Amino acid sequence: MGELFMNDRVTGSEVLLRSLLIEGVECIFGYPGGSILNIYDSILDIPEFKSILVRHEQGAIHAADGYARATGKVGVCFATSGPGATNLVTGIATANMDSVPLVVITGNVSSSLLGTDAFQEADIVGITMPITKHSYLVRDIEELPRIIHEAFYIASTGRKGPVLIDIPKDVTSQLTTFEYSLDTPQIRGYKPDTQPDSNQIDKLLRAIEEAERPVILAGAGVIYSDASKELLAFVEKTRIPVTTTLLGLGGFPSGHELWMGMPGMHGTYTANTALQNCDLLISIGARFDDRVTMKTNGFAPKAKTIAHIDIDPAEIGKILLTAIPCIGDVKTILQQANLSAAPAKSELWLEQITENKNSFPLRYTDSDVTLKPQFVIEMISESTGGEAIITTDVGQHQMWAAQFYKYMHPRSIITSGGLGTMGFGLPSAIGAQIGNPNRLVVSVNGDGGFQMCAQELAVCALYKLPVKIVILNNQVLGMIRQWQELIYDNRFSSMNLSGSPDFVKLAEAYGVKGFRATNKEEAIEVWNKALEIDGPVVIDFTISQEENVYPMVAPGSTIDEMIMGDEA
């Protein structure tokens, strides 16, 4: 396709669209406005170009984010200048925190108006500088092909992340002869080195052979590197138990005997106690997030050695003192390590791990009267065999989805980890479904976060996307209420969501089928109906306001100081 496009005399808008097709972009998510209208006009002349019209710019970037996470490709979104661009800021920060490759393209006012406070002008490059991997303001149409190619290269190499390209309107209408090179860009100051130091890998392997209580903390880097198979082989060779972070879920199969669950604030008893008692801690593609470590100076106190495998040198030693740094691509490092990896002295340790898993599983008090959210997630997990793509919003439902869904494959959970962005769940499911048209995508939401981007139901209906949209509806901001109960002495403030719409009627207003369930029998019935419908479905599961997420580690506590809940 690239050769067919070359040497034509085209506008800047056509340069952009042709370049995106050459880069392999399948579709973009966006919302037009005056400053980007030349580009949208040119879309009509390129039938191969697929554009998804969302209902809010935040929906566009979250959809591009979900597409990127679920496919491993670069997600792309469009927005116009001023408010259109600033509406992308939360989504850019979300992608940046979670290392998601995006190319974000904004239109801006004409070059002669930049800096004059013109209508719908905003310095989006300046605004987003702290939350992008790199940014471009295109001043010359001749630079546009190079900039686009560099943007995709930067977004998708090294530690992945969002790159912004801001294009003034006059640049999109200027003419040039189209030429495009797919050679690897040579960018001063950007030379991502993914080749590891073999001496550090040898140190790691020696430490493993001497360890009696080793633990692997596996994060999103395993998934982003497509290293799940290598991690499984490494674990089986070394006999080291694994805990996977929220974003690392699915990077190691949940059914494996050496998997301990998720660690941290709402982690399992087994994972948290193992981290606190290990003598060797190996972080693989995880950044020691504060929701994992909690009280940092009390985290992994018995670990004689901490090893850290990460593609970003800036993460090494940032939170915890690291004795064995392995900088480079996770897949490459594990491939090299697997050549000579040997078992740790971990058999007695594994017996203790197994005993803890049996004695302290995740629990909840089931009910035939009140519908329990944990039951809903278990039902979805069992009915899909862990094969679905689950997207979540942020809050209690996110933690229940992390705890009670059994993720068997990488790229199966799409969730905002670092920034914790409400409104992420539904639009990210749209992107995940478009990127994976033959897979079941289930969007799990709370009633609070769902309402932040509920308008994207229109996209589900218009494009007949078969997303199953689950709402765990407790009529409150659940995690806020839980903190206020447990930490603020039952002083409940601004957490009541009464006055929310009837979600079944809201779905039907958009042309989407809606169901409601208030007990287990109804839940099973409507979920099975939803799975039979070839199109989008909203299911409103009515749950109790009083249900809490356990275990829980309170802020300021170490991760072994868990509140286990009444069920324990």
Side-chain angles (χ1 to χ4, degrees):
M1 180 176 288
E3 293 180 359
L4 297 177
F5 282 154
M6 298 304 175
N7 301 316
D8 288 346
R9 193 74 177 165
V10 296
T11 65
S13 296
E14 292 172 290
V15 168
L16 171 65
L17 300 179
R18 291 181 178 204
S19 300
L20 293 179
L21 288 174
I22 293 171
E23 291 290 345
V25 175
E26 296 175 320
C27 69
I28 65 96
F29 306 87
Y31 203 94
S35 292
I36 201 169
L37 212 49
N38 288 339
I39 295 171
Y40 271 91
D41 181 66
S42 294
I43 288 175
L44 296 176
D45 298 323
I46 303 181
E48 303 97 326
F49 200 88
K50 184 176 181 181
S51 171
I52 305 295
L53 175 62
V54 296
R55 295 305 183 264
H56 191 285
E57 290 90 355
Q58 189 165 337
I61 194 158
H62 290 334
D65 186 315
Y67 174 91
R69 297 190 202 220
T71 64
K73 301 174 183 177
V74 178
V76 181
C77 66
F78 285 1
T80 195
S81 63
T86 58
N87 277 343
L88 298 175
V89 169
T90 297
I92 294 171
T94 300
N96 189 61
M97 287 282 280
D98 290 348
S99 303
V100 179
L102 299 183
V103 170
V104 180
I105 295 165
T106 54
N108 211 330
V109 299
S110 292
S111 300
S112 61
L113 295 175
L114 291 173
T116 68
D117 293 329
F119 176 68
Q120 290 194 332
E121 182 195 0
D123 178 11
I124 194 62
V125 171
I127 290 169
T128 61
M129 193 169 292
I131 54 171
T132 53
K133 190 174 178 184
H134 194 62
S135 298
Y136 294 94
L137 173 60
V138 184
R139 294 283 197 165
D140 183 349
I141 189 175
E142 303 300 332
E143 297 293 310
L144 188 54
R146 174 188 61 81
I147 286 172
I148 294 167
H149 187 43
E150 286 184 4
F152 276 84
Y153 176 71
I154 293 170
S156 61
T157 55
R159 181 175 182 170
K160 300 174 175 63
V163 177
L164 180 113
I165 306 175
D166 192 35
I167 311 175
K169 188 171 184 177
D170 58 303
V171 174
T172 65
S173 62
Q174 292 169 3
L175 290 170
T176 187
T177 300
F178 183 67
E179 296 180 352
Y180 202 83
S181 171
L182 285 172
D183 293 342
T184 301
Q186 301 300 311
I187 305 170
R188 187 174 65 180
Y190 183 71
K191 305 292 181 185
D193 185 7
T194 60
Q195 292 303 311
D197 183 342
S198 59
N199 291 327
Q200 296 297 329
I201 296 175
D202 291 341
K203 287 181 183 179
L204 173 61
L205 295 179
R206 288 196 297 272
I208 290 171
E209 291 181 27
E210 296 171 1
E212 297 180 354
R213 302 185 310 280
V215 166
I216 289 173
L217 173 66
V222 173
I223 296 170
Y224 297 160
S225 179
D226 294 322
S228 298
K229 291 181 180 179
E230 286 76 11
L231 175 61
L232 178 60
F234 183 70
V235 169
E236 293 186 339
K237 285 174 178 288
T238 59
R239 302 295 295 166
I240 301 177
V242 181
T243 176
T244 43
T245 67
L246 174 64
L247 294 182
L249 290 170
F252 189 80
S254 63
H256 197 281
E257 62 174 346
L258 295 181
W259 185 67
M260 299 183 290
M262 185 177 71
M265 176 177 276
H266 295 292
T268 65
Y269 177 91
T270 303
N272 282 355
T273 55
L275 286 166
Q276 293 301 83
N277 290 284
C278 67
D279 61 0
L280 172 63
L281 173 56
I282 307 170
S283 173
I284 304 180
R287 60 184 179 86
F288 293 119
D289 174 73
D290 61 286
R291 282 297 189 266
V292 169
T293 63
M294 298 304 292
K295 186 179 179 181
T296 309
N297 62 5
F299 179 74
K302 299 180 182 179
K304 301 174 184 176
T305 304
I306 295 178
H308 195 168
I309 300 173
D310 205 289
I311 200 166
D312 185 359
E315 289 296 337
I316 306 296
K318 186 176 82 174
I319 306 298
L320 299 177
L321 186 63
T322 302
I324 305 175
C326 295
I327 301 170
D329 177 66
V330 169
K331 187 184 187 81
T332 303
I333 290 172
L334 290 180
Q335 285 174 337
Q336 187 169 330
N338 282 334
L339 296 175
S340 52
K345 302 173 183 177
S346 59
E347 290 311 311
L348 290 177
W349 176 236
L350 293 180
E351 290 178 11
Q352 181 64 58
I353 297 294
T354 301
E355 182 180 333
N356 285 345
K357 287 171 66 175
N358 293 333
S359 299
F360 301 99
L362 291 169
R363 292 185 176 98
Y364 66 96
T365 301
D366 203 359
S367 172
D368 291 323
V369 179
T370 302
L371 183 58
K372 294 297 182 116
Q374 301 93 331
F375 169 81
V376 174
I377 301 300
E378 286 183 330
M379 175 188 70
I380 295 171
S381 182
E382 291 170 7
S383 67
T384 61
E387 297 289 331
I389 296 174
I390 306 295
T391 77
T392 85
D393 217 273
V394 172
Q396 286 181 314
H397 71 276
Q398 178 189 33
M399 294 298 100
W400 287 318
Q403 291 176 331
F404 290 95
Y405 193 93
K406 303 303 181 186
Y407 299 92
M408 301 305 296
H409 306 291
R411 302 192 185 280
S412 292
I413 181 168
I414 311 298
T415 191
S416 172
L419 198 65
T421 303
M422 293 179 70
F424 179 82
L426 175 57
S428 66
I430 290 171
Q433 187 72 81
I434 288 174
N436 295 270
N438 298 318
R439 289 190 66 183
L440 174 64
V441 176
V442 181
S443 177
V444 180
N445 305 266
D447 49 316
F450 175 74
Q451 292 182 74
M452 291 191 173
C453 283
Q455 71 280 349
E456 303 307 332
L457 283 173
V459 179
C460 298
L462 182 64
Y463 293 95
K464 297 180 174 61
L465 301 176
V467 179
K468 311 311 173 192
I469 302 155
V470 169
I471 303 172
L472 297 181
N473 185 359
N474 57 9
Q475 291 287 300
V476 293
L477 293 170
M479 193 61 83
I480 298 299
R481 191 211 60 78
Q482 178 169 337
W483 276 50
Q484 288 174 343
E485 175 193 338
L486 299 177
I487 301 171
Y488 290 86
D489 298 325
N490 289 301
R491 290 168 58 85
F492 298 112
S493 174
S494 299
M495 56 79 186
N496 194 309
L497 290 178
S498 58
S500 296
D502 181 323
F503 293 119
V504 173
K505 290 182 179 179
L506 180 66
E508 291 171 348
Y510 279 103
V512 174
K513 187 66 178 176
F515 296 115
R516 178 175 291 107
T518 60
N519 57 46
K520 289 171 67 172
E521 183 179 354
E522 291 175 353
I524 294 169
E525 179 183 359
V526 301
W527 177 246
N528 288 333
K529 284 183 180 179
L531 290 177
E532 293 172 359
I533 294 173
D534 185 20
V537 181
V538 170
I539 313 103
D540 181 357
F541 292 101
T542 304
I543 64 172
S544 168
Q545 290 187 3
E546 287 72 37
E547 196 70 25
N548 287 335
V549 180
Y550 293 116
M552 176 180 173
V553 178
S557 302
T558 56
I559 59 169
D560 53 352
E561 297 177 306
M562 288 168 277
I563 304 169
M564 299 300 290
D566 296 338
E567 294 79 8

